[in-house]
Amino acid sequence: TMPAPEQIRRNAEISACLGEYEPITFAVRPLRPMGEARVEVSDFTGEAGTLSKECFDVRVVRHLTRRGFNAINYRIIPQMVKHFDTVELPAGITREFLIWVRIPEDAAAGEYKGSIKLTSTGGIDETLNVSLKVYPFSLDNSDFVFGFFGTIRNLDDAKLLRNLGFNSFSGGYRIQLKGFSKEGTPNLDFEKMDGYIAMLKQAGYTQEGWGYGGFTVSHIGYTKDEGFFGKWEKETGLSYVCLLYTSPS
């Protein structure tokens, strides 16, 4: 949508506690192609001292096509925030930028001021003046669980999500069902799941995890896997149901 003149602002105020991440976001919608754009953040200064520009993480919002489980139509919605050096600003496309500031644990409380500058090869030269208030305390850890829906692929992603406030997780690697003994005892392989939990602990996760429908075991789904369970039914003489739910005494 096209913003009305009174909706366009060049000043912003934010506040954060010690150790907290706080976002600043702004968008630009060119009326004509404006070339390659760059975003630069200044140091933030005040009577309490200086917050280095290294405390600010600058990213651009990227959109992907998505549809719901019960929908046939796709929508273009924001899905990712990516680092960039420059990004193209075509006409008629709203480009959103997201800047995270992480307040150091030992930062001095007080008021800081700085700026975010947007320039482009097509002639944009705009400055967003930002006032940042740092409170002299940190936030307690939440008793509620907040988690990413899906598997967290690596330690860097796990640390990023933890730093942004996530304290739990949803899903992950499955426990693999390798087979059954002749007595019907299932042979379960926990190696990938154990490694996954160890990675999350290393990233600082402290709350319980959640599985979509429970933490599932490979080869157990909505229907019987004939190729897999047929083999073990013949070798053990036990039925599909017994193999799944009966443990030998």
Side-chain angles (χ1 to χ4, degrees), residues 177-225:
L177 178 60
K178 308 281 284 191
F180 300 90
S181 70
K182 289 186 177 181
E183 294 76 26
T185 303
N187 178 12
L188 300 174
D189 185 351
F190 288 85
E191 182 178 0
K192 288 186 176 180
M193 177 62 79
D194 288 343
Y196 188 62
I197 299 300
M199 178 193 74
L200 295 172
K201 286 183 177 180
Q202 184 180 350
Y205 289 77
T206 57
Q207 297 280 11
E208 65 269 24
W210 297 85
Y212 182 64
F215 289 104
T216 56
V217 178
S218 295
H219 287 297
I220 298 177
Y222 294 108
T223 59
K224 175 181 175 181
D225 184 335

Short mmCIF file of all heavy atoms in Angstrom, two decimals, residues 177-225:
data_model
loop_
_atom_site.label_atom_id
_atom_site.label_comp_id
_atom_site.label_asym_id
_atom_site.label_seq_id
_atom_site.Cartn_x
_atom_site.Cartn_y
_atom_site.Cartn_z
N LEU A 177 13.32 -46.61 14.55
CA LEU A 177 13.02 -48.00 14.86
C LEU A 177 13.84 -48.87 13.92
O LEU A 177 13.57 -48.94 12.73
CB LEU A 177 11.52 -48.26 14.70
CG LEU A 177 11.04 -49.69 14.93
CD1 LEU A 177 11.36 -50.15 16.35
CD2 LEU A 177 9.55 -49.79 14.67
N LYS A 178 14.85 -49.55 14.45
CA LYS A 178 15.77 -50.34 13.62
C LYS A 178 15.25 -51.74 13.35
O LYS A 178 15.67 -52.40 12.41
CB LYS A 178 17.13 -50.43 14.32
CG LYS A 178 17.70 -49.09 14.75
CD LYS A 178 18.32 -48.33 13.62
CE LYS A 178 19.66 -48.90 13.25
NZ LYS A 178 20.40 -48.02 12.32
N GLY A 179 14.35 -52.21 14.22
CA GLY A 179 13.85 -53.56 14.04
C GLY A 179 13.39 -54.13 15.37
O GLY A 179 13.19 -53.40 16.35
N PHE A 180 13.23 -55.48 15.42
CA PHE A 180 12.76 -56.15 16.62
C PHE A 180 13.59 -57.41 16.86
O PHE A 180 14.07 -58.04 15.91
CB PHE A 180 11.29 -56.56 16.48
CG PHE A 180 10.35 -55.41 16.26
CD1 PHE A 180 10.05 -54.98 14.98
CD2 PHE A 180 9.77 -54.76 17.34
CE1 PHE A 180 9.19 -53.93 14.77
CE2 PHE A 180 8.90 -53.70 17.14
CZ PHE A 180 8.61 -53.28 15.85
N SER A 181 13.74 -57.75 18.11
CA SER A 181 14.34 -59.03 18.44
C SER A 181 13.32 -60.14 18.20
O SER A 181 12.13 -59.87 17.99
CB SER A 181 14.79 -59.04 19.90
OG SER A 181 13.66 -59.06 20.76
N LYS A 182 13.76 -61.38 18.27
CA LYS A 182 12.83 -62.48 18.07
C LYS A 182 11.79 -62.55 19.19
O LYS A 182 10.72 -63.14 19.03
CB LYS A 182 13.59 -63.80 17.99
CG LYS A 182 14.39 -63.93 16.70
CD LYS A 182 15.03 -65.30 16.57
CE LYS A 182 15.78 -65.42 15.25
NZ LYS A 182 16.41 -66.75 15.07
N GLU A 183 12.11 -61.93 20.32
CA GLU A 183 11.13 -61.88 21.41
C GLU A 183 10.16 -60.72 21.25
O GLU A 183 9.22 -60.57 22.03
CB GLU A 183 11.86 -61.73 22.76
CG GLU A 183 12.70 -62.94 23.16
CD GLU A 183 14.00 -63.00 22.38
OE1 GLU A 183 14.47 -61.92 21.94
OE2 GLU A 183 14.54 -64.11 22.21
N GLY A 184 10.39 -59.86 20.24
CA GLY A 184 9.48 -58.75 20.00
C GLY A 184 9.93 -57.44 20.60
O GLY A 184 9.23 -56.43 20.51
N THR A 185 11.12 -57.40 21.23
CA THR A 185 11.61 -56.17 21.82
C THR A 185 12.05 -55.20 20.72
O THR A 185 12.85 -55.57 19.86
CB THR A 185 12.79 -56.45 22.75
OG1 THR A 185 12.40 -57.40 23.75
CG2 THR A 185 13.27 -55.17 23.42
N PRO A 186 11.54 -53.97 20.72
CA PRO A 186 11.94 -53.01 19.68
C PRO A 186 13.37 -52.54 19.89
O PRO A 186 13.82 -52.33 21.02
CB PRO A 186 10.95 -51.85 19.85
CG PRO A 186 10.51 -51.94 21.27
CD PRO A 186 10.52 -53.39 21.63
N ASN A 187 14.09 -52.39 18.79
CA ASN A 187 15.46 -51.84 18.81
C ASN A 187 15.37 -50.38 18.38
O ASN A 187 15.21 -50.07 17.20
CB ASN A 187 16.35 -52.64 17.86
CG ASN A 187 17.76 -52.08 17.79
OD1 ASN A 187 18.14 -51.23 18.60
ND2 ASN A 187 18.53 -52.55 16.82
N LEU A 188 15.44 -49.46 19.34
CA LEU A 188 15.27 -48.03 19.08
C LEU A 188 16.62 -47.33 19.11
O LEU A 188 17.42 -47.52 20.03
CB LEU A 188 14.35 -47.41 20.12
CG LEU A 188 12.92 -47.97 20.18
CD1 LEU A 188 12.15 -47.36 21.34
CD2 LEU A 188 12.19 -47.71 18.86
N ASP A 189 16.87 -46.50 18.11
CA ASP A 189 18.13 -45.77 17.98
C ASP A 189 17.88 -44.30 18.37
O ASP A 189 17.21 -43.57 17.64
CB ASP A 189 18.65 -45.88 16.55
CG ASP A 189 20.02 -45.25 16.38
OD1 ASP A 189 20.50 -44.58 17.33
OD2 ASP A 189 20.63 -45.42 15.30
N PHE A 190 18.44 -43.86 19.48
CA PHE A 190 18.25 -42.50 19.99
C PHE A 190 19.41 -41.57 19.62
O PHE A 190 19.45 -40.43 20.09
CB PHE A 190 18.11 -42.52 21.52
CG PHE A 190 16.81 -43.08 22.01
CD1 PHE A 190 16.65 -44.45 22.17
CD2 PHE A 190 15.74 -42.25 22.31
CE1 PHE A 190 15.46 -44.98 22.64
CE2 PHE A 190 14.55 -42.77 22.77
CZ PHE A 190 14.40 -44.14 22.94
N GLU A 191 20.35 -42.02 18.79
CA GLU A 191 21.57 -41.25 18.57
C GLU A 191 21.30 -39.84 18.04
O GLU A 191 21.82 -38.85 18.57
CB GLU A 191 22.49 -42.00 17.60
CG GLU A 191 23.82 -41.27 17.36
CD GLU A 191 24.74 -42.03 16.44
OE1 GLU A 191 24.36 -43.13 15.97
OE2 GLU A 191 25.85 -41.52 16.16
N LYS A 192 20.48 -39.71 16.99
CA LYS A 192 20.21 -38.39 16.42
C LYS A 192 19.43 -37.51 17.39
O LYS A 192 19.71 -36.31 17.51
CB LYS A 192 19.46 -38.53 15.10
CG LYS A 192 20.32 -39.05 13.96
CD LYS A 192 19.57 -39.02 12.64
CE LYS A 192 20.47 -39.46 11.50
NZ LYS A 192 19.76 -39.44 10.19
N MET A 193 18.46 -38.08 18.07
CA MET A 193 17.69 -37.31 19.03
C MET A 193 18.57 -36.83 20.18
O MET A 193 18.50 -35.68 20.61
CB MET A 193 16.52 -38.15 19.55
CG MET A 193 15.69 -37.45 20.62
SD MET A 193 14.87 -35.95 20.01
CE MET A 193 13.49 -36.68 19.11
N ASP A 194 19.44 -37.72 20.69
CA ASP A 194 20.34 -37.34 21.78
C ASP A 194 21.28 -36.23 21.35
O ASP A 194 21.55 -35.29 22.11
CB ASP A 194 21.14 -38.55 22.25
CG ASP A 194 20.30 -39.56 23.03
OD1 ASP A 194 19.20 -39.18 23.47
OD2 ASP A 194 20.74 -40.71 23.18
N GLY A 195 21.81 -36.32 20.12
CA GLY A 195 22.69 -35.27 19.61
C GLY A 195 21.97 -33.94 19.46
O GLY A 195 22.54 -32.87 19.72
N TYR A 196 20.72 -34.02 19.05
CA TYR A 196 19.91 -32.81 18.87
C TYR A 196 19.68 -32.12 20.21
O TYR A 196 19.84 -30.90 20.34
CB TYR A 196 18.59 -33.20 18.22
CG TYR A 196 17.70 -32.04 17.80
CD1 TYR A 196 18.14 -31.14 16.84
CD2 TYR A 196 16.43 -31.89 18.33
CE1 TYR A 196 17.32 -30.10 16.43
CE2 TYR A 196 15.60 -30.86 17.92
CZ TYR A 196 16.05 -29.97 16.98
OH TYR A 196 15.25 -28.93 16.57
N ILE A 197 19.31 -32.90 21.22
CA ILE A 197 19.07 -32.34 22.55
C ILE A 197 20.36 -31.74 23.11
O ILE A 197 20.35 -30.67 23.73
CB ILE A 197 18.52 -33.41 23.50
CG1 ILE A 197 17.18 -33.95 22.99
CG2 ILE A 197 18.37 -32.86 24.91
CD1 ILE A 197 16.09 -32.92 22.87
N ALA A 198 21.49 -32.41 22.89
CA ALA A 198 22.77 -31.90 23.39
C ALA A 198 23.11 -30.56 22.74
O ALA A 198 23.61 -29.64 23.40
CB ALA A 198 23.87 -32.92 23.11
N MET A 199 22.82 -30.42 21.43
CA MET A 199 23.08 -29.15 20.74
C MET A 199 22.23 -28.03 21.33
O MET A 199 22.72 -26.92 21.56
CB MET A 199 22.78 -29.30 19.25
CG MET A 199 22.97 -28.01 18.45
SD MET A 199 22.28 -28.08 16.79
CE MET A 199 20.51 -27.98 17.13
N LEU A 200 20.96 -28.32 21.61
CA LEU A 200 20.06 -27.30 22.15
C LEU A 200 20.49 -26.90 23.56
O LEU A 200 20.42 -25.72 23.92
CB LEU A 200 18.62 -27.82 22.14
CG LEU A 200 18.03 -28.05 20.75
CD1 LEU A 200 16.68 -28.75 20.85
CD2 LEU A 200 17.90 -26.76 19.97
N LYS A 201 20.93 -27.85 24.35
CA LYS A 201 21.44 -27.52 25.69
C LYS A 201 22.66 -26.63 25.59
O LYS A 201 22.81 -25.67 26.36
CB LYS A 201 21.77 -28.80 26.45
CG LYS A 201 20.56 -29.58 26.95
CD LYS A 201 21.00 -30.79 27.75
CE LYS A 201 19.79 -31.54 28.31
NZ LYS A 201 20.20 -32.72 29.10
N GLN A 202 23.52 -26.92 24.63
CA GLN A 202 24.72 -26.10 24.43
C GLN A 202 24.33 -24.67 24.04
O GLN A 202 25.03 -23.71 24.41
CB GLN A 202 25.61 -26.71 23.34
CG GLN A 202 26.93 -25.97 23.13
CD GLN A 202 27.79 -26.61 22.07
OE1 GLN A 202 27.50 -27.71 21.58
NE2 GLN A 202 28.85 -25.93 21.67
N ALA A 203 23.22 -24.51 23.32
CA ALA A 203 22.77 -23.18 22.90
C ALA A 203 22.04 -22.44 24.01
O ALA A 203 21.70 -21.26 23.84
CB ALA A 203 21.86 -23.31 21.68
N GLY A 204 21.79 -23.11 25.14
CA GLY A 204 21.19 -22.43 26.28
C GLY A 204 19.72 -22.70 26.52
O GLY A 204 19.09 -22.03 27.35
N TYR A 205 19.16 -23.69 25.83
CA TYR A 205 17.75 -24.01 26.04
C TYR A 205 17.57 -24.73 27.38
O TYR A 205 18.35 -25.62 27.72
CB TYR A 205 17.21 -24.88 24.90
CG TYR A 205 17.07 -24.13 23.60
CD1 TYR A 205 18.18 -23.85 22.82
CD2 TYR A 205 15.83 -23.69 23.17
CE1 TYR A 205 18.07 -23.14 21.63
CE2 TYR A 205 15.70 -22.98 21.98
CZ TYR A 205 16.82 -22.71 21.22
OH TYR A 205 16.70 -22.01 20.06
N THR A 206 16.54 -24.33 28.13
CA THR A 206 16.33 -24.86 29.47
C THR A 206 14.95 -25.49 29.66
O THR A 206 14.76 -26.26 30.61
CB THR A 206 16.49 -23.74 30.51
OG1 THR A 206 15.56 -22.68 30.21
CG2 THR A 206 17.91 -23.18 30.48
N GLN A 207 14.00 -25.18 28.80
CA GLN A 207 12.63 -25.67 28.98
C GLN A 207 12.44 -26.99 28.24
O GLN A 207 13.24 -27.39 27.40
CB GLN A 207 11.63 -24.64 28.47
CG GLN A 207 11.65 -23.33 29.23
CD GLN A 207 10.90 -23.41 30.54
OE1 GLN A 207 10.53 -24.48 30.98
NE2 GLN A 207 10.70 -22.26 31.18
N GLU A 208 11.32 -27.67 28.56
CA GLU A 208 11.01 -28.92 27.88
C GLU A 208 10.70 -28.67 26.41
O GLU A 208 10.30 -27.58 26.02
CB GLU A 208 9.81 -29.61 28.54
CG GLU A 208 8.49 -28.85 28.43
CD GLU A 208 8.26 -27.92 29.60
OE1 GLU A 208 9.24 -27.51 30.24
OE2 GLU A 208 7.08 -27.60 29.86
N GLY A 209 10.90 -29.69 25.60
CA GLY A 209 10.59 -29.58 24.18
C GLY A 209 9.23 -30.15 23.86
O GLY A 209 8.64 -30.89 24.66
N TRP A 210 8.74 -29.80 22.69
CA TRP A 210 7.41 -30.22 22.27
C TRP A 210 7.50 -30.84 20.88
O TRP A 210 8.21 -30.36 20.03
CB TRP A 210 6.45 -29.03 22.24
CG TRP A 210 6.25 -28.42 23.59
CD1 TRP A 210 7.04 -27.48 24.18
CD2 TRP A 210 5.24 -28.74 24.53
NE1 TRP A 210 6.58 -27.17 25.44
CE2 TRP A 210 5.46 -27.93 25.68
CE3 TRP A 210 4.15 -29.61 24.52
CZ2 TRP A 210 4.64 -27.99 26.80
CZ3 TRP A 210 3.34 -29.64 25.64
CH2 TRP A 210 3.59 -28.85 26.76
N GLY A 211 6.74 -31.91 20.69
CA GLY A 211 6.68 -32.55 19.38
C GLY A 211 5.30 -32.40 18.77
O GLY A 211 4.29 -32.45 19.47
N TYR A 212 5.25 -32.22 17.47
CA TYR A 212 3.98 -32.11 16.76
C TYR A 212 3.35 -33.49 16.70
O TYR A 212 3.75 -34.34 15.92
CB TYR A 212 4.21 -31.55 15.36
CG TYR A 212 2.95 -31.34 14.56
CD1 TYR A 212 1.99 -30.43 14.96
CD2 TYR A 212 2.72 -32.04 13.38
CE1 TYR A 212 0.84 -30.21 14.22
CE2 TYR A 212 1.57 -31.84 12.64
CZ TYR A 212 0.63 -30.93 13.06
OH TYR A 212 -0.51 -30.73 12.33
N GLY A 213 2.38 -33.75 17.59
CA GLY A 213 1.82 -35.08 17.69
C GLY A 213 2.66 -36.01 18.54
O GLY A 213 2.48 -37.22 18.52
N GLY A 214 3.62 -35.46 19.27
CA GLY A 214 4.53 -36.27 20.07
C GLY A 214 5.81 -36.53 19.30
O GLY A 214 5.88 -36.37 18.08
N PHE A 215 6.86 -36.90 20.01
CA PHE A 215 8.12 -37.22 19.33
C PHE A 215 7.98 -38.59 18.69
O PHE A 215 7.88 -39.60 19.37
CB PHE A 215 9.28 -37.16 20.31
CG PHE A 215 9.60 -35.76 20.73
CD1 PHE A 215 9.22 -35.29 21.97
CD2 PHE A 215 10.23 -34.90 19.85
CE1 PHE A 215 9.49 -33.98 22.33
CE2 PHE A 215 10.50 -33.59 20.21
CZ PHE A 215 10.13 -33.14 21.46
N THR A 216 7.97 -38.62 17.38
CA THR A 216 7.59 -39.82 16.65
C THR A 216 8.76 -40.76 16.44
O THR A 216 9.93 -40.39 16.52
CB THR A 216 7.00 -39.44 15.29
OG1 THR A 216 7.96 -38.64 14.58
CG2 THR A 216 5.72 -38.66 15.45
N VAL A 217 8.40 -42.00 16.15
CA VAL A 217 9.38 -43.03 15.85
C VAL A 217 9.28 -43.34 14.37
O VAL A 217 8.19 -43.56 13.84
CB VAL A 217 9.09 -44.31 16.69
CG1 VAL A 217 10.08 -45.41 16.34
CG2 VAL A 217 9.15 -43.99 18.18
N SER A 218 10.41 -43.35 13.67
CA SER A 218 10.41 -43.65 12.25
C SER A 218 9.80 -45.03 12.00
O SER A 218 9.99 -45.96 12.79
CB SER A 218 11.85 -43.64 11.70
OG SER A 218 12.39 -42.35 11.78
N HIS A 219 9.06 -45.16 10.89
CA HIS A 219 8.37 -46.37 10.45
C HIS A 219 7.01 -46.54 11.11
O HIS A 219 6.31 -47.48 10.81
CB HIS A 219 9.21 -47.64 10.66
CG HIS A 219 10.34 -47.76 9.70
ND1 HIS A 219 10.17 -47.87 8.34
CD2 HIS A 219 11.68 -47.74 9.91
CE1 HIS A 219 11.36 -47.94 7.75
NE2 HIS A 219 12.28 -47.85 8.69
N ILE A 220 6.67 -45.63 12.05
CA ILE A 220 5.33 -45.68 12.64
C ILE A 220 4.56 -44.47 12.15
O ILE A 220 4.90 -43.35 12.49
CB ILE A 220 5.39 -45.70 14.17
CG1 ILE A 220 6.11 -46.96 14.64
CG2 ILE A 220 3.98 -45.65 14.77
CD1 ILE A 220 6.29 -47.05 16.13
N GLY A 221 3.56 -44.67 11.34
CA GLY A 221 2.81 -43.55 10.80
C GLY A 221 1.32 -43.80 10.91
O GLY A 221 0.85 -44.53 11.78
N TYR A 222 0.57 -43.22 9.99
CA TYR A 222 -0.88 -43.38 10.03
C TYR A 222 -1.31 -44.75 9.49
O TYR A 222 -2.39 -45.22 9.79
CB TYR A 222 -1.54 -42.27 9.22
CG TYR A 222 -1.34 -40.90 9.81
CD1 TYR A 222 -0.49 -39.98 9.21
CD2 TYR A 222 -1.99 -40.53 10.99
CE1 TYR A 222 -0.30 -38.72 9.76
CE2 TYR A 222 -1.79 -39.28 11.55
CZ TYR A 222 -0.95 -38.37 10.93
OH TYR A 222 -0.76 -37.13 11.47
N THR A 223 -0.49 -45.36 8.69
CA THR A 223 -0.83 -46.65 8.11
C THR A 223 0.31 -47.64 8.34
O THR A 223 1.45 -47.25 8.59
CB THR A 223 -1.10 -46.54 6.59
OG1 THR A 223 0.07 -46.03 5.96
CG2 THR A 223 -2.26 -45.61 6.32
N LYS A 224 0.02 -48.89 8.21
CA LYS A 224 1.02 -49.94 8.40
C LYS A 224 2.00 -49.94 7.23
O LYS A 224 1.62 -49.92 6.07
CB LYS A 224 0.32 -51.30 8.51
CG LYS A 224 1.28 -52.47 8.60
CD LYS A 224 0.50 -53.77 8.68
CE LYS A 224 1.43 -54.97 8.66
NZ LYS A 224 0.69 -56.24 8.69
N ASP A 225 3.28 -49.98 7.56
CA ASP A 225 4.34 -50.07 6.55
C ASP A 225 4.57 -51.56 6.27
O ASP A 225 5.27 -52.25 7.02
CB ASP A 225 5.61 -49.40 7.08
CG ASP A 225 6.73 -49.36 6.06
OD1 ASP A 225 6.74 -50.23 5.17
OD2 ASP A 225 7.60 -48.48 6.16
#
